[in-house]
């Protein structure tokens, strides 16, 4: 990649490839935790406003910039072109990446995965308990909530797992 526009387009391309993935992982994590909080503590969760939701989402959008910022701060010109896939990739040749890669992976992949799994298990137990209580009172509680939660967490965990 030569010239200013070549380097700038490579850096923007890498930003566009990495940033939406980490944002979506963190937003799905927030969604599953908020579902658990709303069902477990309905009296306290009714006080949550849309402003609080906007602040939480904005903080996630800002916190997900840690990967692109790390790319730019450590070695912004450490980019190589891969002729097999015709993409530009960071080479991670700096010694800083030895401790920074595990830290970034922990923040953007491992912790959100554990939080989604940790929120899904009590949520499933709560929904199954609600179904049993509904049956005892001769009501009907459909399985859509349970099935959508299983689908949501399994698709997320599969897509966010390291390849």
């Amino acid at each position: 990649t030569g010239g200013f526009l070549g380097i700038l387009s490579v850096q923007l391309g890498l930003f566009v490839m990495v940033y939406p993935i980490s944002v979506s992982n963190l937003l799905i994590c927030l969604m599953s935790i908020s579902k658990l909080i709303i069902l477990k503590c309905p009296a306290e969760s009714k006080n949550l406003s849309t402003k609080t939701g906007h602040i939480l989402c904005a903080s996630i959008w800002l916190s997900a910039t840690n990967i692109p910022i790390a790319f730019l701060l450590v070695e912004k010109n450490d980019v190589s072109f891969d002729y097999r896939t015709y993409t530009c990739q960071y080479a991670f040749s700096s010694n800083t990446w030895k401790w920074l890669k595990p830290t970034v992976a922990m923040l953007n992949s491992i912790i959100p995965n554990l939080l989604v799994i940790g929120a899904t298990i009590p949520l499933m137990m709560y929904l199954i308990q609600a179904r049993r209580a509904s049956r005892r009172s001769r009501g009907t509680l459909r399985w859509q909530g349970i099935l959508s939660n299983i689908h949501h967490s399994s698709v997320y965990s599969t897509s966010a797992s390291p390849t």
Side-chain angles (χ1 to χ4, degrees), residues 18-36 38 50 52-65 107-109 111-113 115-116 119-120 149 152-153 156-157 159-160:
V18 172
Y19 184 66
I21 295 169
S22 56
V23 167
S24 63
N25 285 345
L26 294 173
L27 285 174
I28 291 172
C29 179
L30 175 68
M31 183 179 67
S32 61
I33 291 172
S34 63
K35 280 196 288 187
L36 178 65
I38 287 171
T50 55
T52 306
H54 289 286
I55 290 172
L56 285 171
C57 289
S59 64
I60 284 183
W61 278 92
L62 288 174
S63 69
T65 59
L107 290 174
N108 289 332
S109 182
I111 291 176
N113 264 333
L115 288 174
V116 166
T120 300
N149 198 29
H152 159 262
S153 62
Y156 171 77
S157 296
S159 67

